[in-house]
Amino acid sequence: MVGDGVVRGGGGAREESGNVAGGAVFPPSSVSYAYEWQRRRRWQQLRRRETWLVLVGIVLHAVYMLSIFDIYFKSPVVHGMDAVPQRISAPAKRLVLLVADGLRADKFFEPDSEGHFRAPFLRRIIREKGRWGISHARPPTESRPGHVSLIAGFYEDPSAITKGWKANPVEFDSVFNRSRHTFAFGSPGVVPIFCGNLPHATWGSYPPEFEDFASDASFLDQWSFDQFHDLLHRSHNDSKLKQLLMQERIVVFLHLLGCDTNGHAHRPHSTIYSNNVRVVDRIAQRVQSLFEDYFGDNQTSYIFTADHGISDKGSHGDGHPTNTNTPLVAWGAGIRTPSLLAHNNQSEYGLSSVHEHIHDMPTPAKWDLNDVERVDLNQADIAPLMATLIGSPCPVNSVGNLPLGFLNLNKREEAEATLSNTMQILNQFLRKSYVKQSSSLFFKPFKPLENYLSSLKQIEDLIFQSDYEAALRMSQDLRNLALAGLHYFQTYDWLMLMTTITLGYIGWILNLLIHILQSYTSLQKHVSIIVDANQWNTTKRVYLGACLLTGLYSSVFLLEKSPLLYHVYSATTIFLWAQIFSNIQFIATAWRGFSGKRYSTVVKLCCACFVALFILEFLVSSFSERKLYTWCFMTTGAVAGSFIFFWRRPSTGIFLCVACWFLSGFTLMPAEIPDNTGLVIASGAIIILIGMTGRLFEFYAKRDKLWSCIVGPSVEPYKKKLFWFQVIMVLLSSVMVWVSTSHRSQKRGLLLLHQIINWFLTGVSILLPLLSSSNLLPRLTSIFLGFAPPFLLLCIGYEAVFYSALSLVLLGWILVECITLNSTTITQVESVEEKFNLKDNERCLRLSDLRVPLIFMVLFNVAFFGTGNFASIASFEISSVYRFVTVFSPFFMAALLIFKLFIPFMLVICVFSSITKLIHVPRMGCYFLVILLSDIMTIHFFFLVQNTGSWMEIGNSISHFGIMSAQVVFVLFLFALTNIYTKDIKVMSFPLASLKAM
């Protein structure tokens, strides 16, 4: 159990040398047997305790990671409201919604390299028939949440991503639900979400295999259009279908996936992507011609937009403007005609319709649209726009504001339509208020809306008196208050939950600290805790009080009908603090021992804590400013290199300085990794050169006593040949990078033969290090060469060179630890007798050993920046997997991307494990130190989570907290994985042995 307060065998290590126990002299053999039995029993207890500790840590972090959704992002969906009917007649009989998935605004509006605009038909619509603007999406900018915003009018709960975007985590209302009938055709990942369980829907989707990144995906858009074209053609011979089409409140939804797929595969700057924009423009033109020829009544409204954009590197998901800015063009029945501007300014609608978006910029001159009025809106505002056009009630969970700048209405109709929009949002507020009040023991109402009835009556009176401007202003003010009220109830339990979770994290950190002090420091020798009857009674009282307190909290939560997770949050926090109070005797004894230390010891401890906190805050800041690592490694290289240079190791100092400066340049690189196949191939040559240099260093190091501990004795001949076989594997992988990329660039897809070779190189190369020498440096060199082929095959640019740069710095870390170990053993001969007292020649942790987990954390975080941008949830390039698979398979592709991320991490952890063996410290003790330090950062990120401000800030804050929360599992998994490669590493320790003999 975590920190059970028992430390057995406190003085066992000292009895071995004296052979005296309790005043009696025993034979050496019996003392040795008793000591060994006692040590083995202690380690069995330690293993059991650590197993529970790890399990508690995994559960705690998984639960607390979900807490931000209860604190900051509770689900916006609430059931039980009645739909609010429109107060005006429908301007249109039918609606066509065209969504070009992955179409970003600038690529739609700007001209191509030859000066031709990519969407001539829709530009003509903008200038002659309709309205245009920028629709601002919200992270996560993925297909499902984007379409939920468009069609249902609310921003989906971010926790829905944990349940999968393709299945409905919750049932919600939508424009399709409120239509008389919906016809929808498109992607199997989007259309079934809204139409799969809708009885009044006719829909179709193509097989998932159609989404092949190796081909031009614009045929997917053509498929959607052809399906609806065939449906209209069939209606001429199907009277029921024709009768259905001629009814009112009909919605046609065409999902056009081509731009998204081509953007992923070929990037938005490619010719294929530009041609796909022209394809969707022609489809919009053909759809209008088809409808006007078929119906001929000018009663159709058309809306063309996108669910999200796409970044320059072909990804989406975060809050970058390339992902959040999407085009919007509306025309047809009920839509205003264009307004020409005398000056480059925004209309009153354009300025008022966008809220909480600080990245609205003036229309770029190259769009050539400065003379046409632009109306921007939030993506969720499109749902009430569509509902108003066809005269259907707005989706009951919509939070969108009706964009009057798009609607061709008179003043009375504007006031009436806005009042309907306000009442629909107000209904949600009233429902949430009622649900919270009916279950809360101490209810606190939202005071600004206590007199909402009088406000509604006043608005009705103003409309009746034909004072439409005043009625419109009051409706908008009431709507804004209703939205504020919704936010109030979504964060109603904020203070209680924040306090509970914060205390839980602090309790977990203190438990880790107690466990480390009890198990891996000299306190296990010098502090002996006797578990007597009084201690047992104290423990029982602590747990009894914890159970009563948990029961009290659970009773309150049950009465308030709180979510089940509320019970888990409180119970976990109480359990952790009960563990701390059950160790109160150990804490008191340790404090007395610390109080008796010399002043210099206290100063050293305070300085160590200050340095650790400084480094942790540096790491927190680096999440938002990755260039900090450049200054960090440049400074470290200069300072550490100079120190070692003048400490009789000039070559090592120069090497360390060059390696750190080499690595420092990568955090200046663009986060969006550009394609550079030549650089990937060249990096293969660099990897081979580093491997050969490592082999030469091994021969040199055997003649140097300082380095001999990491090289070891000579190995079998076949293991020497293994090195050259690994070099050949790296060379073949570089060749396959060139062959696979060249073949795909010719639009010939991925050959099965190339795919088989790439998989073979990957599978064989990662197994070869297991056959290499067990000496430290040869094994790490083999691991470096073994993971190089799969990493090269998954690289597209400069990150391939980062692999070598990181490896050089890791080698520099090993050399520095060798020098530190040599210096320590020379100056601390008197402590050699007490050095080995744990297991497998491990010694107790000292304060100076804190440098190992701190350096590990810096290098572990740097590993993220070599393969993507830490600040983005969409930072990792999907085209990296195209040498293994091109047919769209999100989970398989994600697994390959994660494997690519794992490779630099595994290098760092392999070196970390090797260093713990080199300096003879317990690896698990260092692991718990890493988790302890990580959770200090987690608390910081917990308070940095935002639910206001720009969408980019909100998305990044969630990503940062989630990444740090996952490290307890992430690092543990990688520790277990790398243990396969490092468990049999041997370290020569003859310098210590010689000193002990002296």
Side-chain angles (χ1 to χ4, degrees):
M1 190 64 68
V2 183
D4 57 4
V6 181
V7 178
R8 305 181 188 276
R14 290 189 296 272
E15 293 175 7
E16 184 181 16
S17 59
N19 294 336
V20 178
V25 179
F26 296 97
S29 59
S30 62
V31 173
S32 176
Y33 173 79
Y35 172 73
E36 184 63 29
W37 177 84
Q38 188 179 36
R39 193 181 70 155
R40 187 177 303 170
R41 183 182 176 190
R42 178 184 176 276
W43 272 95
Q44 289 175 350
Q45 293 174 342
L46 181 62
R47 291 295 184 191
R48 287 196 297 269
R49 188 193 312 174
E50 289 183 341
T51 300
W52 280 104
L53 190 64
V54 169
L55 291 176
V56 168
I58 292 172
V59 172
L60 177 139
H61 286 80
V63 170
Y64 283 2
M65 193 187 303
L66 297 175
S67 68
I68 63 167
F69 299 115
D70 282 321
I71 297 172
Y72 297 100
F73 307 102
K74 294 200 66 150
S75 175
V77 177
V78 59
H79 300 285
M81 299 87 65
D82 293 328
V84 177
Q86 294 292 341
R87 299 167 63 94
I88 62 174
S89 58
K93 288 184 178 180
R94 66 198 68 86
L95 171 76
V96 177
L97 175 61
L98 303 173
V99 178
D101 201 310
L103 177 58
R104 61 192 245 186
D106 58 343
K107 296 303 175 186
F108 176 78
F109 291 115
E110 71 184 14
D112 58 21
S113 57
E114 298 178 357
H116 303 301
F117 291 103
R118 302 181 179 96
F121 168 73
L122 289 172
R123 287 185 65 86
R124 190 164 66 249
I125 291 294
I126 291 172
R127 289 191 168 277
E128 298 175 4
K129 291 186 177 181
R131 307 289 278 180
W132 77 286
I134 302 296
S135 170
H136 294 279
R138 171 177 175 172
T141 44
E142 302 287 348
S143 291
R144 177 196 162 96
H147 283 87
V148 168
S149 300
L150 285 169
I151 301 169
F154 70 90
Y155 301 107
E156 191 165 29
D157 176 14
S159 65
I161 195 171
T162 63
K163 305 170 186 176
W165 290 129
K166 293 188 177 181
N168 273 1
V170 293
E171 293 299 325
F172 53 82
D173 194 15
S174 72
V175 174
F176 296 172
N177 293 33
R178 298 294 171 182
S179 68
R180 189 178 302 277
H181 198 88
T182 295
F183 299 90
F185 301 97
S187 167
V190 172
V191 173
I193 294 175
F194 301 93
C195 301
N197 297 320
L198 193 62
H200 56 278
T202 301
W203 61 279
S205 60
Y206 40 77
E209 304 83 60
F210 279 26
E211 301 174 29
D212 189 350
F213 291 109
S215 62
D216 184 352
S218 59
F219 77 95
L220 300 176
D221 303 340
Q222 188 63 43
W223 185 95
S224 300
F225 173 79
D226 290 343
Q227 295 301 306
F228 186 70
H229 180 272
D230 294 344
L231 183 138
L232 290 183
H233 183 71
R234 291 198 311 271
S235 69
H236 293 298
N237 301 318
D238 187 339
S239 58
K240 289 185 178 179
L241 179 58
K242 188 174 184 66
Q243 184 180 4
L244 180 62
L245 286 166
M246 299 303 294
Q247 294 184 23
E248 297 180 350
R249 297 209 321 272
I250 298 297
V251 176
V252 176
F253 170 47
L254 297 185
H255 177 247
L256 312 175
L257 186 64
C259 287
D260 182 77
T261 305
N262 282 328
H264 285 307
H266 309 288
R267 312 299 174 84
H269 296 290
S270 65
T271 303
I272 291 180
Y273 186 89
S274 297
N275 290 338
N276 207 145
V277 178
R278 296 183 176 91
V279 169
V280 297
D281 181 70
R282 286 196 298 269
I283 287 176
Q285 183 178 15
R286 295 174 66 187
V287 164
Q288 178 185 280
S289 299
L290 196 63
F291 269 80
E292 298 308 319
D293 292 344
Y294 189 89
F295 296 102
D297 56 2
N298 295 322
Q299 290 297 304
T300 306
S301 297
Y302 305 90
I303 292 180
F304 175 91
T305 187
D307 55 343
H308 57 74
I310 197 161
S311 69
D312 290 339
K313 60 180 179 149
S315 64
H316 55 82
D318 62 14
H320 193 274
T322 57
N323 290 330
T324 59
N325 291 353
T326 62
L328 176 63
V329 182
W331 73 101
I335 303 296
R336 288 186 182 218
T337 55
S339 296
L340 299 181
L341 301 176
H343 303 284
N344 182 17
N345 55 12
Q346 288 287 342
S347 70
E348 57 177 329
Y349 297 111
L351 291 173
S352 63
S353 64
V354 178
H355 56 84
E356 293 188 7
H357 280 284
I358 62 173
H359 53 260
D360 279 332
M361 300 298 292
T363 302
K366 61 182 177 180
W367 291 8
D368 193 25
L369 290 172
N370 287 320
D371 58 333
V372 183
E373 185 182 50
R374 164 182 158 188
V375 183
D376 286 8
L377 44 67
N378 290 305
Q379 195 171 64
D381 299 341
I382 296 176
L385 172 63
M386 294 191 294
T388 303
L389 285 170
I390 60 174
S392 67
C394 192
V396 295
N397 290 115
S398 171
V399 294
N401 295 332
L402 182 64
L404 297 176
F406 279 84
L407 290 166
N408 186 21
L409 304 175
N410 58 40
K411 291 297 183 181
R412 184 192 65 80
E413 290 173 332
E414 285 185 351
E416 294 279 12
T418 304
L419 180 57
S420 295
N421 181 217
T422 299
M423 292 174 66
Q424 173 264 318
I425 296 175
L426 186 62
N427 275 359
Q428 292 182 72
F429 163 78
L430 295 174
R431 180 62 183 171
K432 286 199 172 186
S433 178
Y434 171 77
V435 170
K436 180 56 69 175
Q437 185 174 7
S438 62
S439 61
S440 181
L441 297 179
F442 308 100
F443 178 69
K444 297 178 182 179
F446 184 66
K447 293 184 178 180
L449 281 177
E450 286 183 320
N451 298 319
Y452 73 93
L453 286 175
S454 62
S455 298
L456 285 175
K457 185 177 183 304
Q458 190 174 356
I459 294 171
E460 295 275 10
D461 291 342
L462 289 171
I463 294 176
F464 180 76
Q465 297 167 10
S466 300
D467 192 353
Y468 302 124
E469 291 291 342
L472 186 63
R473 286 195 300 271
M474 280 200 67
S475 293
Q476 291 172 341
D477 291 341
L478 185 60
R479 180 178 60 192
N480 292 335
L481 283 176
L483 289 171
L486 287 175
H487 179 265
Y488 171 79
F489 284 114
Q490 283 181 247
T491 58
Y492 186 82
D493 300 320
W494 184 87
L495 181 60
M496 181 272 294
L497 290 175
M498 287 286 287
T499 304
T500 302
I501 302 302
T502 303
L503 288 174
Y505 274 121
I506 294 174
W508 164 251
I509 290 173
L510 291 177
N511 270 287
L512 282 179
L513 182 60
I514 290 172
H515 174 72
I516 294 169
L517 292 175
Q518 284 183 340
S519 306
Y520 295 109
T521 67
S522 58
L523 282 175
Q524 62 165 313
K525 286 196 315 177
H526 302 299
V527 178
S528 179
I529 305 280
I530 307 296
V531 181
D532 54 14
N534 292 333
Q535 174 67 20
W536 176 243
N537 291 334
T538 301
T539 303
K540 286 196 298 184
R541 285 195 295 269
V542 168
Y543 281 106
L544 178 61
C547 291
L548 292 175
L549 189 59
T550 302
L552 176 63
Y553 270 95
S554 294
S555 300
V556 173
F557 291 146
L558 284 172
L559 291 174
E560 294 191 343
K561 300 177 183 178
S562 298
L564 178 62
L565 280 176
Y566 283 28
H567 300 259
V568 180
Y569 299 150
S570 62
T572 305
T573 300
I574 293 171
F575 168 75
L576 291 169
W577 280 93
Q579 290 294 113
I580 294 171
F581 283 108
S582 68
N583 286 286
I584 194 67
Q585 189 173 345
F586 172 82
I587 295 171
T589 306
W591 176 254
R592 285 195 297 269
F594 174 74
S595 302
K597 295 287 185 181
R598 290 178 298 179
Y599 178 75
S600 59
T601 304
V602 177
V603 171
K604 288 180 182 178
L605 178 62
C606 293
C607 290
C609 292
F610 174 79
V611 171
L613 288 175
F614 175 80
I615 293 175
L616 294 179
E617 287 304 308
F618 166 83
L619 292 175
V620 170
S621 301
S622 70
F623 275 57
S624 55
E625 187 53 64
R626 61 201 292 260
K627 293 179 182 179
L628 288 174
Y629 285 107
T630 299
W631 296 106
C632 170
F633 281 100
M634 288 188 71
T635 304
T636 302
V639 174
S642 300
F643 179 79
I644 296 173
F645 182 89
F646 291 108
W647 195 78
R648 297 176 296 173
R649 289 289 171 179
S651 58
T652 306
I654 294 173
F655 168 77
L656 183 63
C657 184
V658 171
C660 287
W661 286 4
F662 184 26
L663 184 63
S664 69
F666 287 90
T667 45
L668 295 175
M669 299 287 188
E672 297 179 347
I673 302 173
D675 286 334
N676 194 330
T677 305
L679 191 59
V680 177
I681 296 171
S683 66
I686 296 173
I687 290 170
I688 293 173
L689 180 62
I690 292 174
M692 291 183 173
T693 305
R695 291 285 291 177
L696 291 174
F697 178 75
E698 290 177 28
F699 292 115
Y700 161 76
K702 289 178 181 178
R703 298 191 297 269
D704 192 320
K705 290 184 178 181
L706 178 62
W707 309 129
S708 59
C709 59
I710 63 174
V711 176
S714 300
V715 298
E716 298 87 340
Y718 84 91
K719 291 185 178 180
K720 294 180 179 178
K721 295 178 181 178
L722 179 68
F723 169 80
W724 296 108
F725 185 68
Q726 288 186 289
V727 168
I728 293 172
M729 296 288 281
V730 175
L731 183 62
L732 286 175
S733 64
S734 299
V735 172
M736 289 308 300
V737 166
W738 177 75
V739 172
S740 301
T741 305
S742 300
H743 198 271
R744 191 173 64 85
S745 64
Q746 299 171 9
K747 303 182 181 65
R748 296 165 61 188
L750 177 65
L751 284 182
L752 179 61
L753 177 62
H754 295 169
Q755 195 173 11
I756 292 173
I757 294 174
N758 292 340
W759 280 107
F760 174 79
L761 289 172
T762 298
V764 173
S765 62
I766 62 177
L767 296 177
L768 291 178
L770 299 175
L771 306 176
S772 64
S773 169
S774 59
N775 296 320
L776 189 148
L777 187 58
R779 173 59 62 89
L780 291 178
T781 303
S782 181
I783 292 172
F784 166 70
L785 292 173
F787 282 107
F791 193 77
L792 289 175
L793 290 168
L794 288 166
C795 285
I796 62 169
Y798 70 77
E799 79 272 31
V801 186
F802 170 84
Y803 181 80
S804 299
L806 179 64
S807 300
L808 291 175
V809 171
L810 291 173
L811 176 60
W813 185 18
I814 295 172
L815 299 180
V816 169
E817 290 295 341
C818 283
I819 294 173
T820 304
L821 179 64
N822 183 65
S823 174
T824 303
T825 53
I826 291 175
T827 58
Q828 297 182 0
V829 178
E830 70 279 0
S831 65
V832 172
E833 284 295 326
E834 298 182 1
K835 192 160 182 133
F836 303 105
N837 50 29
L838 286 175
K839 186 182 180 183
D840 297 332
N841 284 343
E842 291 175 350
R843 61 170 173 81
C844 292
L845 289 172
R846 302 194 191 105
L847 187 60
S848 60
D849 296 324
L850 187 61
R851 73 182 184 279
V852 177
L854 286 172
I855 294 173
F856 167 79
M857 290 187 66
V858 173
L859 293 173
F860 191 80
N861 284 293
V862 166
F864 274 102
F865 290 109
T867 51
N869 180 6
F870 210 11
S872 168
I873 64 175
S875 58
F876 306 112
E877 180 50 61
I878 194 172
S879 64
S880 300
V881 306
Y882 291 166
R883 298 185 189 106
F884 292 92
V885 61
T886 56
V887 176
F888 182 66
S889 177
F891 294 105
F892 187 55
M893 288 178 165
L896 285 172
L897 285 174
I898 291 172
F899 175 62
K900 177 185 176 182
L901 294 179
F902 274 13
I903 292 175
F905 298 149
M906 291 180 71
L907 282 183
V908 176
I909 292 182
C910 284
V911 172
F912 175 78
S913 300
S914 302
I915 285 176
T916 59
K917 291 193 175 189
L918 177 65
I919 64 176
H920 302 286
V921 294
R923 190 177 72 145
M924 285 303 295
C926 289
Y927 163 75
F928 286 120
L929 278 174
V930 168
I931 300 305
L932 186 151
L933 296 171
S934 297
D935 282 323
I936 294 175
M937 294 174 61
T938 304
I939 294 178
H940 192 143
F941 283 121
F942 178 66
F943 283 97
L944 291 179
V945 174
Q946 300 181 27
N947 57 4
T948 58
S950 73
W951 301 135
M952 185 174 183
E953 294 170 339
I954 294 172
N956 287 348
S957 68
I958 298 174
S959 298
H960 298 166
F961 175 73
I963 289 168
M964 291 308 304
S965 296
Q967 278 205 9
V968 65
V969 181
F970 187 52
V971 175
L972 178 66
F973 173 75
L974 290 177
F975 263 76
L977 199 60
T978 55
N979 192 52
I980 300 172
Y981 296 94
T982 60
K983 63 181 178 181
D984 60 340
I985 285 182
K986 297 176 183 177
V987 177
M988 296 288 291
S989 55
F990 68 87
L992 296 178
S994 62
L995 283 172
K996 188 172 181 179
M998 290 171 59

